[in-house]
Amino acid sequence: MNSYVLPTDIAAVSLALTDLALCEARLMNDARYVWVVLVPRRAGVVEIEDLPPAEQKQLLDEALEAGRRVRAMGEALGRPVEKLNIAQLGNVTRALHVHVIGRRADDPAWPRPVWGVGDAVAWTAEQGPIVQYAWG
Amino acid sequence: MNSYVLPTDIAAVSLALTDLALCEARLMNDARYVWVVLVPRRAGVVEIEDLPPAEQKQLLDEALEAGRRVRAMGEALGRPVEKLNIAQLGNVTRALHVHVIGRRADDPAWPRPVWGVGDAVAWTAEQGPIVQYAWG
């Protein structure tokens, strides 16, 4: 039985974008980065290896699609992506999720990873529609 | 023309493990973690999207294989992996490479990502063969 629910700690810090075939795509509510999180709608899955092979491949394809969307959002904001970061960590929130982050040399964490650097800055009412348009 | 060479900054901090179909598998010379880096033997590739689709899939398969090997190395050291971290960042070293890291709640960076935390501790002559055995 698949009794998937979006992890509450991811829900609390992100905004809905769209449902892909496997994953919920969420926008992190942190205007410092264009940062999408993909959460496979599968209960009890922690590692990529826990998915069946077809869904592992689907997750990769959705991460690459998210990368294209992140690039489009960055363009729409006038902040083109200079480097993508794609990562599956899960040390704190165990339910499998993949980060797809657009990085720039002028972002506050560069060149280090984004996690744990300062505090999130919520998207404004003006910015929100711009960044959500790609999957609005 | 594929004039691939292993990036010198990766070579400087890691030890050879084996050649996979697509990637060089390297062991980071940092005994605080069982940490493998996969480097596709392709010149000029920065993002996963720069690879043709068949090689994107191969990279995923090799990352999952590296995860199994990292688990085996952790077992051999008496430090079983509690969580895998799989990440493609490349903010500093641009040539495409994927990190596959075995994490434990007693490692020095837990639960944060490993990058930029303290200084690497080289594997000892006793530990080296143990961790390299899986791909020795």
Side-chain angles (χ1 to χ4, degrees):
Chain A
M1 197 187 85
N2 190 352
S3 58
Y4 165 81
V5 289
L6 180 68
T8 52
D9 45 1
I10 294 178
V13 295
S14 63
L15 310 168
L17 284 174
T18 196
D19 273 356
L20 302 172
L22 176 63
C23 296
E24 288 194 65
R26 310 269 310 174
L27 177 70
M28 288 291 281
N29 194 11
D30 187 348
R32 301 175 301 164
Y33 315 98
V34 180
W35 178 352
V36 167
V37 176
L38 299 177
V39 188
R41 292 188 301 280
R42 297 290 179 270
V45 168
V46 172
E47 303 282 5
I48 298 172
E49 65 197 19
D50 297 336
L51 293 172
E55 294 188 348
Q56 295 170 357
K57 174 66 163 54
Q58 181 66 28
L59 180 62
L60 172 64
D61 288 345
E62 294 186 5
L64 293 168
E65 173 66 10
R68 289 186 287 272
R69 301 294 190 155
V70 162
R71 288 189 186 282
M73 294 176 196
E75 293 286 344
L77 287 164
R79 289 160 35 188
V81 170
E82 297 171 358
K83 185 71 192 69
L84 288 172
N85 289 178
I86 300 178
Q88 188 270 113
L89 305 176
N91 303 335
V92 176
T93 299
R94 284 302 171 104
L96 180 61
H97 58 285
V98 174
H99 302 273
V100 181
I101 310 156
R103 303 298 307 277
R104 290 171 51 85
D106 63 4
D107 77 38
W110 186 267
R112 298 206 29 202
V114 297
W115 300 276
V117 175
D119 294 317
V121 176
W123 292 104
T124 66
E126 290 72 32
Q127 291 171 318
I130 295 174
V131 294
Q132 289 185 273
Y133 92 104
W135 279 339
Chain B
M1 198 188 84
N2 189 350
S3 57
Y4 165 82
V5 290
L6 180 68
T8 52
D9 45 1
I10 294 178
V13 296
S14 64
L15 309 168
L17 284 173
T18 196
D19 273 356
L20 302 171
L22 176 63
C23 297
E24 288 194 63
R26 309 270 310 176
L27 176 70
M28 289 291 281
N29 193 11
D30 187 346
R32 299 176 301 163
Y33 316 99
V34 180
W35 179 353
V36 167
V37 175
L38 299 176
V39 188
R41 292 189 301 278
R42 297 290 179 268
V45 169
V46 171
E47 303 283 4
I48 298 172
E49 65 198 19
D50 298 336
L51 293 172
E55 293 187 349
Q56 295 169 357
K57 174 65 163 54
Q58 181 67 27
L59 180 61
L60 172 64
D61 288 345
E62 294 185 4
L64 293 167
E65 172 67 10
R68 289 187 286 271
R69 299 295 188 153
V70 163
R71 288 190 187 282
M73 293 175 198
E75 294 287 343
L77 287 164
R79 290 160 35 188
V81 170
E82 296 170 359
K83 183 72 191 70
L84 288 172
N85 288 180
I86 300 179
Q88 187 271 112
L89 305 176
N91 303 335
V92 177
T93 298
R94 284 301 171 103
L96 180 62
H97 58 284
V98 174
H99 302 272
V100 181
I101 311 156
R103 303 297 307 275
R104 293 171 49 87
D106 64 4
D107 76 38
W110 185 267
R112 298 207 29 203
V114 296
W115 299 277
V117 175
D119 295 315
V121 177
W123 291 104
T124 65
E126 291 72 33
Q127 290 170 318
I130 294 173
V131 294
Q132 289 184 273
Y133 90 103
W135 279 340

